[in-house]
mmCIF file with all atom_site columns, all heavy atoms in Angstrom:
data_model
loop_
_atom_site.group_PDB
_atom_site.id
_atom_site.type_symbol
_atom_site.label_atom_id
_atom_site.label_alt_id
_atom_site.label_comp_id
_atom_site.label_asym_id
_atom_site.label_entity_id
_atom_site.label_seq_id
_atom_site.pdbx_PDB_ins_code
_atom_site.Cartn_x
_atom_site.Cartn_y
_atom_site.Cartn_z
_atom_site.occupancy
_atom_site.B_iso_or_equiv
_atom_site.pdbx_formal_charge
_atom_site.auth_seq_id
_atom_site.auth_comp_id
_atom_site.auth_asym_id
_atom_site.auth_atom_id
_atom_site.pdbx_PDB_model_num
ATOM 1  N N   . LYS M 1 250 ? -9.979  23.057 7.456  1.00 0.00 ? 274 LYS M N   1
ATOM 2  C CA  . LYS M 1 250 ? -10.478 21.710 7.182  1.00 0.00 ? 274 LYS M CA  1
ATOM 3  C C   . LYS M 1 250 ? -11.862 21.741 6.549  1.00 0.00 ? 274 LYS M C   1
ATOM 4  O O   . LYS M 1 250 ? -12.247 20.810 5.856  1.00 0.00 ? 274 LYS M O   1
ATOM 5  C CB  . LYS M 1 250 ? -10.492 20.888 8.467  1.00 0.00 ? 274 LYS M CB  1
ATOM 6  C CG  . LYS M 1 250 ? -9.103  20.524 8.968  1.00 0.00 ? 274 LYS M CG  1
ATOM 7  C CD  . LYS M 1 250 ? -9.126  19.306 9.853  1.00 0.00 ? 274 LYS M CD  1
ATOM 8  C CE  . LYS M 1 250 ? -7.714  18.809 10.097 1.00 0.00 ? 274 LYS M CE  1
ATOM 9  N NZ  . LYS M 1 250 ? -7.687  17.570 10.899 1.00 0.00 ? 274 LYS M NZ  1
ATOM 10 N N   . CYS M 1 251 ? -12.598 22.811 6.804  1.00 0.00 ? 275 CYS M N   1
ATOM 11 C CA  . CYS M 1 251 ? -13.920 22.910 6.192  1.00 0.00 ? 275 CYS M CA  1
ATOM 12 C C   . CYS M 1 251 ? -13.805 23.066 4.673  1.00 0.00 ? 275 CYS M C   1
ATOM 13 O O   . CYS M 1 251 ? -14.599 22.520 3.921  1.00 0.00 ? 275 CYS M O   1
ATOM 14 C CB  . CYS M 1 251 ? -14.687 24.089 6.789  1.00 0.00 ? 275 CYS M CB  1
ATOM 15 S SG  . CYS M 1 251 ? -15.148 23.841 8.528  1.00 0.00 ? 275 CYS M SG  1
ATOM 16 N N   . ALA M 1 252 ? -12.768 23.809 4.237  1.00 0.00 ? 276 ALA M N   1
ATOM 17 C CA  . ALA M 1 252 ? -12.592 24.037 2.806  1.00 0.00 ? 276 ALA M CA  1
ATOM 18 C C   . ALA M 1 252 ? -12.176 22.776 2.069  1.00 0.00 ? 276 ALA M C   1
ATOM 19 O O   . ALA M 1 252 ? -12.349 22.684 0.857  1.00 0.00 ? 276 ALA M O   1
ATOM 20 C CB  . ALA M 1 252 ? -11.561 25.139 2.579  1.00 0.00 ? 276 ALA M CB  1
ATOM 21 N N   . LEU M 1 253 ? -11.634 21.803 2.795  1.00 0.00 ? 277 LEU M N   1
ATOM 22 C CA  . LEU M 1 253 ? -11.188 20.567 2.146  1.00 0.00 ? 277 LEU M CA  1
ATOM 23 C C   . LEU M 1 253 ? -12.358 19.745 1.633  1.00 0.00 ? 277 LEU M C   1
ATOM 24 O O   . LEU M 1 253 ? -12.180 18.895 0.761  1.00 0.00 ? 277 LEU M O   1
ATOM 25 C CB  . LEU M 1 253 ? -10.355 19.728 3.126  1.00 0.00 ? 277 LEU M CB  1
ATOM 26 C CG  . LEU M 1 253 ? -9.050  20.372 3.624  1.00 0.00 ? 277 LEU M CG  1
ATOM 27 C CD1 . LEU M 1 253 ? -8.384  19.470 4.641  1.00 0.00 ? 277 LEU M CD1 1
ATOM 28 C CD2 . LEU M 1 253 ? -8.111  20.653 2.454  1.00 0.00 ? 277 LEU M CD2 1
ATOM 29 N N   . GLY M 1 254 ? -13.557 19.973 2.202  1.00 0.00 ? 278 GLY M N   1
ATOM 30 C CA  . GLY M 1 254 ? -14.751 19.252 1.741  1.00 0.00 ? 278 GLY M CA  1
ATOM 31 C C   . GLY M 1 254 ? -14.852 17.834 2.248  1.00 0.00 ? 278 GLY M C   1
ATOM 32 O O   . GLY M 1 254 ? -15.655 17.046 1.748  1.00 0.00 ? 278 GLY M O   1
ATOM 33 N N   . THR M 1 255 ? -14.060 17.482 3.250  1.00 0.00 ? 279 THR M N   1
ATOM 34 C CA  . THR M 1 255 ? -14.082 16.113 3.774  1.00 0.00 ? 279 THR M CA  1
ATOM 35 C C   . THR M 1 255 ? -14.647 16.067 5.194  1.00 0.00 ? 279 THR M C   1
ATOM 36 O O   . THR M 1 255 ? -14.515 15.057 5.875  1.00 0.00 ? 279 THR M O   1
ATOM 37 C CB  . THR M 1 255 ? -12.660 15.536 3.788  1.00 0.00 ? 279 THR M CB  1
ATOM 38 O OG1 . THR M 1 255 ? -11.812 16.381 4.588  1.00 0.00 ? 279 THR M OG1 1
ATOM 39 C CG2 . THR M 1 255 ? -12.097 15.445 2.379  1.00 0.00 ? 279 THR M CG2 1
ATOM 40 N N   . HIS M 1 256 ? -15.270 17.165 5.624  1.00 0.00 ? 280 HIS M N   1
ATOM 41 C CA  . HIS M 1 256 ? -15.729 17.256 7.016  1.00 0.00 ? 280 HIS M CA  1
ATOM 42 C C   . HIS M 1 256 ? -16.962 16.410 7.296  1.00 0.00 ? 280 HIS M C   1
ATOM 43 O O   . HIS M 1 256 ? -17.145 15.927 8.403  1.00 0.00 ? 280 HIS M O   1
ATOM 44 C CB  . HIS M 1 256 ? -16.015 18.711 7.368  1.00 0.00 ? 280 HIS M CB  1
ATOM 45 C CG  . HIS M 1 256 ? -16.846 19.422 6.345  1.00 0.00 ? 280 HIS M CG  1
ATOM 46 N ND1 . HIS M 1 256 ? -18.208 19.248 6.237  1.00 0.00 ? 280 HIS M ND1 1
ATOM 47 C CD2 . HIS M 1 256 ? -16.493 20.281 5.361  1.00 0.00 ? 280 HIS M CD2 1
ATOM 48 C CE1 . HIS M 1 256 ? -18.670 19.993 5.258  1.00 0.00 ? 280 HIS M CE1 1
ATOM 49 N NE2 . HIS M 1 256 ? -17.641 20.628 4.687  1.00 0.00 ? 280 HIS M NE2 1
ATOM 50 N N   . GLY M 1 257 ? -17.848 16.238 6.313  1.00 0.00 ? 281 GLY M N   1
ATOM 51 C CA  . GLY M 1 257 ? -19.032 15.412 6.505  1.00 0.00 ? 281 GLY M CA  1
ATOM 52 C C   . GLY M 1 257 ? -20.194 16.110 7.184  1.00 0.00 ? 281 GLY M C   1
ATOM 53 O O   . GLY M 1 257 ? -21.202 15.464 7.515  1.00 0.00 ? 281 GLY M O   1
ATOM 54 N N   . CYS M 1 258 ? -20.083 17.415 7.425  1.00 0.00 ? 282 CYS M N   1
ATOM 55 C CA  . CYS M 1 258 ? -21.186 18.152 8.061  1.00 0.00 ? 282 CYS M CA  1
ATOM 56 C C   . CYS M 1 258 ? -22.360 18.280 7.087  1.00 0.00 ? 282 CYS M C   1
ATOM 57 O O   . CYS M 1 258 ? -22.169 18.683 5.936  1.00 0.00 ? 282 CYS M O   1
ATOM 58 C CB  . CYS M 1 258 ? -20.724 19.541 8.493  1.00 0.00 ? 282 CYS M CB  1
ATOM 59 S SG  . CYS M 1 258 ? -19.392 19.532 9.716  1.00 0.00 ? 282 CYS M SG  1
ATOM 60 N N   . GLN M 1 259 ? -23.576 17.987 7.560  1.00 0.00 ? 283 GLN M N   1
ATOM 61 C CA  . GLN M 1 259 ? -24.755 18.072 6.697  1.00 0.00 ? 283 GLN M CA  1
ATOM 62 C C   . GLN M 1 259 ? -25.111 19.511 6.371  1.00 0.00 ? 283 GLN M C   1
ATOM 63 O O   . GLN M 1 259 ? -25.497 19.819 5.249  1.00 0.00 ? 283 GLN M O   1
ATOM 64 C CB  . GLN M 1 259 ? -25.952 17.389 7.369  1.00 0.00 ? 283 GLN M CB  1
ATOM 65 C CG  . GLN M 1 259 ? -27.215 17.351 6.489  1.00 0.00 ? 283 GLN M CG  1
ATOM 66 C CD  . GLN M 1 259 ? -28.377 16.658 7.176  1.00 0.00 ? 283 GLN M CD  1
ATOM 67 O OE1 . GLN M 1 259 ? -28.282 16.259 8.329  1.00 0.00 ? 283 GLN M OE1 1
ATOM 68 N NE2 . GLN M 1 259 ? -29.476 16.522 6.466  1.00 0.00 ? 283 GLN M NE2 1
ATOM 69 N N   . HIS M 1 260 ? -24.959 20.416 7.343  1.00 0.00 ? 284 HIS M N   1
ATOM 70 C CA  . HIS M 1 260 ? -25.342 21.810 7.139  1.00 0.00 ? 284 HIS M CA  1
ATOM 71 C C   . HIS M 1 260 ? -24.144 22.757 7.111  1.00 0.00 ? 284 HIS M C   1
ATOM 72 O O   . HIS M 1 260 ? -23.766 23.249 6.074  1.00 0.00 ? 284 HIS M O   1
ATOM 73 C CB  . HIS M 1 260 ? -26.328 22.237 8.238  1.00 0.00 ? 284 HIS M CB  1
ATOM 74 C CG  . HIS M 1 260 ? -27.716 21.709 8.043  1.00 0.00 ? 284 HIS M CG  1
ATOM 75 N ND1 . HIS M 1 260 ? -28.765 22.015 8.887  1.00 0.00 ? 284 HIS M ND1 1
ATOM 76 C CD2 . HIS M 1 260 ? -28.235 20.878 7.111  1.00 0.00 ? 284 HIS M CD2 1
ATOM 77 C CE1 . HIS M 1 260 ? -29.866 21.402 8.478  1.00 0.00 ? 284 HIS M CE1 1
ATOM 78 N NE2 . HIS M 1 260 ? -29.566 20.695 7.411  1.00 0.00 ? 284 HIS M NE2 1
ATOM 79 N N   . ILE M 1 261 ? -23.517 22.990 8.269  1.00 0.00 ? 285 ILE M N   1
ATOM 80 C CA  . ILE M 1 261 ? -22.493 24.023 8.389  1.00 0.00 ? 285 ILE M CA  1
ATOM 81 C C   . ILE M 1 261 ? -21.229 23.438 9.032  1.00 0.00 ? 285 ILE M C   1
ATOM 82 O O   . ILE M 1 261 ? -21.316 22.738 10.038 1.00 0.00 ? 285 ILE M O   1
ATOM 83 C CB  . ILE M 1 261 ? -22.993 25.205 9.247  1.00 0.00 ? 285 ILE M CB  1
ATOM 84 C CG1 . ILE M 1 261 ? -24.290 25.776 8.672  1.00 0.00 ? 285 ILE M CG1 1
ATOM 85 C CG2 . ILE M 1 261 ? -21.926 26.303 9.336  1.00 0.00 ? 285 ILE M CG2 1
ATOM 86 C CD1 . ILE M 1 261 ? -24.985 26.757 9.615  1.00 0.00 ? 285 ILE M CD1 1
ATOM 87 N N   . CYS M 1 262 ? -20.056 23.736 8.441  1.00 0.00 ? 286 CYS M N   1
ATOM 88 C CA  . CYS M 1 262 ? -18.768 23.355 9.016  1.00 0.00 ? 286 CYS M CA  1
ATOM 89 C C   . CYS M 1 262 ? -18.103 24.616 9.568  1.00 0.00 ? 286 CYS M C   1
ATOM 90 O O   . CYS M 1 262 ? -18.035 25.640 8.889  1.00 0.00 ? 286 CYS M O   1
ATOM 91 C CB  . CYS M 1 262 ? -17.875 22.705 7.955  1.00 0.00 ? 286 CYS M CB  1
ATOM 92 S SG  . CYS M 1 262 ? -16.229 22.253 8.556  1.00 0.00 ? 286 CYS M SG  1
ATOM 93 N N   . VAL M 1 263 ? -17.618 24.540 10.815 1.00 0.00 ? 287 VAL M N   1
ATOM 94 C CA  . VAL M 1 263 ? -17.003 25.689 11.476 1.00 0.00 ? 287 VAL M CA  1
ATOM 95 C C   . VAL M 1 263 ? -15.568 25.329 11.874 1.00 0.00 ? 287 VAL M C   1
ATOM 96 O O   . VAL M 1 263 ? -15.350 24.356 12.607 1.00 0.00 ? 287 VAL M O   1
ATOM 97 C CB  . VAL M 1 263 ? -17.797 26.099 12.730 1.00 0.00 ? 287 VAL M CB  1
ATOM 98 C CG1 . VAL M 1 263 ? -17.143 27.309 13.404 1.00 0.00 ? 287 VAL M CG1 1
ATOM 99 C CG2 . VAL M 1 263 ? -19.243 26.408 12.363 1.00 0.00 ? 287 VAL M CG2 1
#
Side-chain angles (χ1 to χ4, degrees):
K274 290 203 168 183
C275 292
L277 297 177
T279 58
H280 48 77
C282 298
Q283 184 179 4
H284 284 183
I285 304 169
C286 178
V287 180

